[in-house]
Amino acid sequence: MLWANEVAEMRVGMCTKWIDEPFTGVGRYTLKVLSHMMDLEPSPEFHLIHMQQGGDPVYGKATAEHVFDPTMGSLWWWSQDRFCKNLSSDLDVIHEPFVGFRARMDCPQVLTFHDAVPLMHPEYTTRQFALYFRRMMPKVVDRADAVICNSEATRRDLLEHYGADGDKVHVTYLGVDPPLVEDTGTYSSLEPYMMAISNTKMKNVGFTIREFASYKDVNGGDLRLVVVGTDHTGLAEGRDDVMVMDYLERDHFVELMAGAEALLFPSHYEGFGFPPLEAMSLGVPTVVSDRGSLPEVVGDASLVVDIDRKGDLSEAIHRLRTEGGLVAELKKKGDARFREFTWERCAKGTLQVYEGLVG
């Protein structure tokens, strides 16, 4: 363990391309863990490395900002490698929070490995990413001095597919910010409803709609299913109890979730899975699949269904609508569960990984 003054003097390079673009999960992670590490006392000196002048306030808190010009836009990662290589001799540790480095740096290098979707479910990602994870990522993982995973499930997937040294692979759970809800009454006319998310086919919307329809065919009633994103299956067509709302601005998304009787999230795979924890923070019961990190992340605060078993989700919907004690229990456990995941804890865990390399 480093002494406090040594932590303060530690020079950390962080690749921040991801926070300069339309927000993704990687961008959210990079910004949150970085800003919370900067707020710790003591905090390292941060050198932020990216392709364009940053507009986020986090750049104003950095020791230095290093901007590189990629030779070719599609090969930006190659230019980033070369640029970071030149900087690395003046740093104590350097961190790439998604694609990693293919080159060997002159200081310890850290990779964040978010999930193994491109390897385990290439049908749910782009051909480019699937190719990168097959051909490039083995070298990236091998070159890394430390790899940070966001769940034990992701760590197991990494070790299984890349055969990495387990001693250098660390689990640091992500944080959850309870979203602020502005109740405008926009969605009150839809009640009662349950909510599903379908921004990619991986979210398994076909299974959700089929199971919801099975529940309604038996039980009837006025319950709706509201899908945020896209119906990749066409199963919602002709059903007046299934509404597909396309993509929503963040404030509308949160307001819709807060008014739901439950969040149905039977995803094929998640490296972590923010939505169920966000729903818990809003007092909304959740149903998740038994895949990836989801059972690990939700613990006993959610219903967990087998997505290979027909009727499992429809039975869970029935239980939520008929067992008041179950709903109350899930809300209570969910409130406690989401509080275990904080960005401050994630920041401290990440900083400990740096310290282990530098020390």
Side-chain angles (χ1 to χ4, degrees), residues 73-232:
S74 61
L75 295 177
W76 62 266
W77 46 269
W78 181 77
S79 298
Q80 179 174 272
D81 269 20
R82 295 183 63 191
F83 190 81
C84 289
K85 174 68 174 178
N86 292 332
L87 282 177
S88 63
S89 59
D90 292 324
L91 300 172
D92 295 305
V93 64
I94 191 166
H95 185 176
E96 213 300 322
F98 186 33
V99 298
F101 302 110
R102 290 128 303 274
R104 197 175 298 282
M105 300 292 144
D106 294 329
C107 66
Q109 55 203 69
V110 178
L111 163 71
T112 299
F113 188 84
H114 296 272
D115 60 62
V117 170
L119 290 173
M120 300 175 67
H121 295 285
E123 68 273 22
Y124 301 135
T125 189
T126 64
R127 182 177 180 275
Q128 181 184 14
F129 267 127
L131 194 63
Y132 185 90
F133 271 66
R134 284 200 311 270
R135 296 186 178 178
M136 293 287 191
M137 194 57 81
K139 178 182 286 188
V140 171
V141 171
D142 182 63
R143 291 280 169 87
D145 296 284
V147 182
I148 296 173
C149 294
N150 50 29
S151 66
E152 291 289 350
T154 300
R155 182 180 187 273
R156 288 194 300 271
D157 292 339
L158 172 73
L159 296 177
E160 177 183 347
H161 288 279
Y162 293 121
D165 178 2
D167 290 338
K168 74 176 185 180
V169 184
H170 311 268
V171 173
T172 303
Y173 289 114
L174 307 184
V176 177
D177 294 318
L180 298 176
V181 182
E182 182 181 357
D183 186 1
T184 65
T186 303
Y187 305 109
S188 58
S189 63
L190 301 179
E191 298 175 358
Y193 64 88
M194 292 185 176
M195 179 176 166
I197 299 171
S198 180
N199 55 329
T200 69
K201 292 181 179 180
M202 191 173 69
K203 304 307 181 191
N204 205 10
V205 69
F207 173 77
T208 305
I209 294 175
R210 283 192 298 270
E211 291 287 299
F212 177 80
S214 178
Y215 165 81
K216 287 297 295 287
D217 290 345
V218 173
N219 297 278
D222 56 355
L223 181 68
R224 287 187 177 93
L225 174 66
V226 179
V227 177
V228 179
T230 303
D231 175 14
H232 302 278

Side-chain angles (χ1 to χ4, degrees), residues 10 12 14 37 93 95 350-358:
M10 182 166 54
V12 176
M14 173 74 85
M37 282 194 290
V93 64
H95 185 176
T350 304
L351 187 56
Q352 287 176 356
V353 173
Y354 297 166
E355 292 169 356
L357 297 174
V358 176

Side-chain angles (χ1 to χ4, degrees), residues 179 181 187 193-197 228 248 250-263 265 274-286:
V181 182
Y187 305 109
Y193 64 88
M194 292 185 176
M195 179 176 166
I197 299 171
V228 179
L248 297 176
R250 177 66 175 169
D251 290 347
H252 289 282
F253 178 88
V254 170
E255 183 179 1
L256 182 71
M257 180 182 283
E261 286 195 3
L263 173 69
F265 198 73
F274 281 111
L277 292 175
E278 287 189 336
M280 290 176 188
S281 77
L282 296 170
V284 177
T286 62

Side-chain angles (χ1 to χ4, degrees), residues 327-344:
V327 171
E329 179 184 9
L330 291 176
K331 288 184 176 183
K332 181 178 179 181
K333 289 183 175 179
D335 183 71
R337 185 64 176 173
F338 91 85
R339 295 178 191 278
E340 297 179 23
F341 298 87
T342 69
W343 286 112
E344 181 181 5

Side-chain angles (χ1 to χ4, degrees), residues 264-322:
L264 308 181
F265 198 73
S267 179
H268 285 289
Y269 179 94
E270 297 290 329
F272 182 72
F274 281 111
L277 292 175
E278 287 189 336
M280 290 176 188
S281 77
L282 296 170
V284 177
T286 62
V287 184
V288 304
S289 71
D290 57 351
R291 305 301 166 88
S293 68
L294 288 171
E296 172 189 347
V297 170
V298 301
D300 66 350
S302 174
L303 295 182
V304 179
V305 298
D306 181 353
I307 59 176
D308 287 333
R309 182 173 174 267
K310 184 179 179 180
D312 228 24
L313 179 56
S314 61
E315 180 182 340
I317 294 172
H318 180 71
R319 292 188 64 196
L320 290 174
R321 299 226 80 204
T322 57

